[in-house]
Every structure is written in C-alpha cells, then in structure tokens.
Amino acid sequence: MQNITHNYQAILNKIRLAEKKYHRAPNSVLCLAVSKTFATEALHPIIAIGQHEFAENYLQEALPKISALSGKNLVWHFIGHIQTNKCKEIAYNFSWVHTIFREKEANQLSMHRPQDLAPLQVCIQIKLDDSASSKNGLLPHEALPLAKHISQLPNLKLRGLMAIPPINTDFQQQRQYFKLIRNIGHQLSEAGIELDTYSMGMTHDLEAAIAEGATIVRVGQGIFGARA
Ligand SMILES: *Cc1c(COP(=O)(O)O)cnc(C)c1O
C-alpha cells in the first residue's frame, strides 16, 4: 500500500514536470488511475490523498468496486471494449466512456443514460493502424461522421478523442503517434466539432503524450504495480 502511494506521487510529479517542460498549463493534465485487475483495497490509499478519477475496462469487474466506493464521490471512466448488451449498465454506472467507435453503441449509451444524471461524457477511439492487434477504433478519416452523429444524441456529450498507439519505446516515435491524434482533433475543430479532451498516454508513454497535448493520461501499472 505504501508503494502505491509512493508510485502515485511519483506519477503525479512526472505529469507536473512534463506540463512544465512542454509549456502546458499547470494541472491541465488529469491523471486517470486505471484500477483494472486490482482489488478495491488498492484504491483506498490514493483516494485518501485526493485521487477521484478511476478507470476500468471490464464492467463485471468494475461494478463491485463502484458499489463498494459509492460513498467516496468518485468519477468512473469506462475504457474497455464496449459490448452492445452492456451499454445499459455502462450508461448507469459511469460518468465517462472513452472507447466509442460505432454508432450502434453510441445510440445505446444515449438511449439508456438515466435522465437524472448529467450527459455521459464520451471520447471517440481512434486507431492508427489497421493491424489485427488494434481492431478497436476508427481510422482517422472515419472520425468526422461519428463525431457529427454523437453531437446529435441527447444524452451524450462528445468531449474528445482517445487512442492507444502501437507500443514503441522511442520517445520521438511515440510523439509522432500522439501528434497524429492531435491533428485529427484539429481537423474536427475545423469542421465545427468542439473538443477539449485528448485521452492519450499510459504508463510507458505519458510524457510523449503530454508533449503532444494529452489532457487525460490513463495510468495503471505506474501506480498500482505490474498486473498479474
Ligand atoms: C490498461 C489500460 C491502461 C493503463 O495501462 P498501463 O500500462 O497500466 O498504464 C490505459 N488505457 C487502457 C485503454 C487500458 O486498457
């Protein structure tokens, strides 16, 4: 547990230093703690020191944690593959969904979002290559039609773009991937779609993502340790 606190503070430091180094506004990058595979107890130490935003990939794993921590005023983000038959529960239990890339799931999420909750905050997932390992997401030129569609849905609020680039250890190459995502965002802006969120960067590439404009970095292992 002490490790988790220590790791978390080191990640926050890294984020704040990267903001400075790349001339980003102070505190403009949100650290989203990715708690998948870790038990509820692992979240307590960082909740105690101010972490409010958590992300999960699997609905069935997330629900017990969300319920156990319901008194803590946390904000839950869904960052996994969206199964159509899970849209209702996702729409009930999460504040954000980062991984929309088809109209079908967007429609379902909007339809099931409870009226007494704020609109579901959503990002469109972009993929940067067409390999089998990155089957989720839209190719860059496919983003605009879905963005326009989501903008018409009553209970979704389109906030931005999300991406998981191919693994690469070269810093400059990492930056190139994130720059492509930013460019897609600029193109959408020019087409009249307003975006304020770039959900990009994980433990191994968060600095490159911040250099290229990330507003949310999704950090799992860097905080909680290696996953089994
Ligand atoms: C697991 C996961 C992360 C966190 O990755 P780490 O390498 O643990 O930081 C971020 N985003 C998505 C979509 C994930 O599935």
Side-chain angles (χ1 to χ4, degrees), residues 124 143-153 158 188 191 193:
I124 293 174
L144 183 59
L146 183 62
K148 284 183 172 160
H149 179 79
I150 292 175
S151 303
Q152 309 295 315
L153 293 175
L158 180 63
L188 294 181
I193 305 284

Side-chain angles (χ1 to χ4, degrees), residues 145-221:
L146 183 62
K148 284 183 172 160
H149 179 79
I150 292 175
S151 303
Q152 309 295 315
L153 293 175
N155 302 317
L156 301 189
K157 168 75 183 148
L158 180 63
R159 296 294 299 271
L161 303 178
M162 178 274 200
I164 311 170
I167 298 272
N168 198 302
T169 53
D170 180 70
F171 184 74
Q172 293 308 327
Q173 187 55 49
Q174 290 175 353
R175 283 190 68 159
Q176 286 310 311
Y177 292 136
F178 294 126
K179 192 194 287 287
L180 287 169
I181 303 298
R182 261 309 277 266
N183 285 341
I184 299 165
H186 290 317
Q187 286 165 18
L188 294 181
S189 300
E190 277 166 20
I193 305 284
E194 274 185 47
L195 303 179
D196 62 9
T197 299
Y198 291 89
S199 168
M200 55 189 199
M202 318 196 327
T203 298
H204 69 282
D205 57 7
L206 68 87
E207 183 176 348
I210 292 170
E212 295 298 339
T215 63
I216 299 180
V217 291
R218 308 178 309 268
V219 184
Q221 307 189 69

